[in-house]
Amino acid sequence: METTRTAGRTGRNIAEQLRADILQGLLAPGERIGQEVLAERFDASRIPVREGLKILEAEGLVTIVPNSGAWVARLDAFEFDQIYKLREQVESLVLRESIDGLTPSQIDRLQRLADDITKASDAETFMRLDQDFHLSTYAGASFPLLHDLVHRCWNSTVHYRRIFAQELQREQQWATDAEHHLIVDSIVRKDHETAGNLIRAHIRRTRLKLAARPDIFQRSHDPEG
């Protein structure tokens, strides 16, 4: 018989693997998540499946509709706008707080990452390096709650960032590359204010670029709409 502890552990494992599928783009925005299929895939009962989905719902990756089912979170224009505006403020704060805590070796690695991003040949490589770069710039901040918030925002915006990265493959990405190098330069100079302003503008530019593409958003809030 399945215990509460076992169900909780299995639920976390289900959440971990589904999270990876969503972040890697294996499950698309708005795609239905069949609980029966998950139960069979993980050889589990419905209880840990529901627990795993609830974890992902709390992270903004999954939408659960009572008596209907679960879906990968849709691309929603309002939520996109709110999350990106939140990122502009929070990540500016975290970066300013991080600068004094970064070691010389961490800063050297940031420079290498900025250089590597300029050579990214596909969207997935760009996304991986870009996320590594930005989260590494925040590594010197001693604010666990803010780090948790930043990670949640990055996870919940993965589909938007993938669209942005795919668009970059068809256009010059010189502005993005230049901004990354300017951020590193401000970190080297320990210019907290400039660094904060740069990351705020960097995120804002992405927000405005994607907001100008209303075709990417799934209009209905009803997963079956």
Side-chain angles (χ1 to χ4, degrees):
M1 184 175 180
E2 192 171 48
T3 66
T4 301
R5 178 176 297 179
T6 301
R9 184 168 57 248
T10 304
R12 290 190 293 274
N13 180 56
I14 291 171
E16 181 178 349
Q17 295 194 46
L18 276 182
R19 184 187 299 110
D21 288 348
I22 293 171
L23 296 181
Q24 292 170 19
L26 301 179
L27 292 173
E31 183 173 340
R32 185 175 182 123
I33 303 174
Q35 295 189 36
E36 298 82 1
V37 174
L38 288 181
E40 182 176 352
R41 173 183 172 184
F42 293 101
D43 191 23
S45 71
R46 296 287 292 274
I47 294 175
V49 168
R50 286 196 294 267
E51 288 301 313
L53 291 173
K54 286 179 180 177
I55 291 172
L56 297 182
E57 182 184 39
E59 295 177 7
L61 293 175
V62 165
T63 299
I64 299 176
V65 179
N67 304 316
S68 184
W71 286 260
V72 179
R74 282 178 164 249
L75 300 179
D76 181 271
F78 177 76
E79 291 181 0
F80 158 79
D81 184 68
Q82 295 300 298
I83 293 174
Y84 266 81
K85 285 179 178 176
L86 177 63
R87 283 189 59 198
E88 289 171 32
Q89 302 305 317
V90 171
E91 294 185 39
S92 175
L93 170 62
V94 178
L95 180 55
R96 292 196 306 270
E97 295 292 338
S98 171
I99 289 176
D100 290 339
L102 292 172
T103 65
S105 62
Q106 287 176 312
I107 295 173
D108 287 343
R109 182 170 180 272
L110 288 175
Q111 184 64 67
R112 292 195 299 273
L113 283 169
D115 292 339
D116 289 343
I117 292 171
T118 67
K119 306 169 189 174
S121 59
D122 59 84
E124 293 302 318
T125 300
F126 173 88
M127 287 181 63
R128 175 176 55 80
L129 292 172
D130 182 68
Q131 178 166 331
D132 193 0
F133 172 82
H134 286 290
L135 296 185
S136 295
T137 66
Y138 308 142
S142 302
F143 287 87
L145 291 177
L146 284 179
H147 281 292
D148 289 345
L149 179 56
V150 167
H151 278 273
R152 174 171 176 173
C153 285
W154 272 76
N155 282 351
S156 62
T157 58
V158 63
H159 299 303
Y160 306 109
R161 290 185 289 107
R162 180 167 284 112
I163 292 172
F164 180 79
Q166 290 167 346
E167 290 294 316
L168 282 181
Q169 303 312 302
R170 296 194 291 271
E171 300 174 2
Q172 291 184 352
Q173 66 176 63
W174 65 267
T176 298
D177 294 336
E179 287 166 354
H180 288 155
H181 284 95
L182 286 170
I183 288 170
V184 175
D185 178 67
S186 66
I187 290 173
V188 170
R189 293 185 291 102
K190 295 190 180 298
D191 187 342
H192 303 72
E193 193 64 27
T194 296
N197 290 337
L198 282 168
I199 189 59
R200 185 184 296 112
H202 185 68
I203 297 169
R204 181 174 183 268
R205 189 168 63 82
T206 303
R207 173 170 63 83
L208 294 178
K209 181 177 177 62
L210 292 178
R213 288 279 313 278
D215 57 294
I216 70 174
F217 299 106
Q218 296 160 306
R219 299 178 184 278
S220 174
H221 288 275
D222 179 3
E224 293 190 300

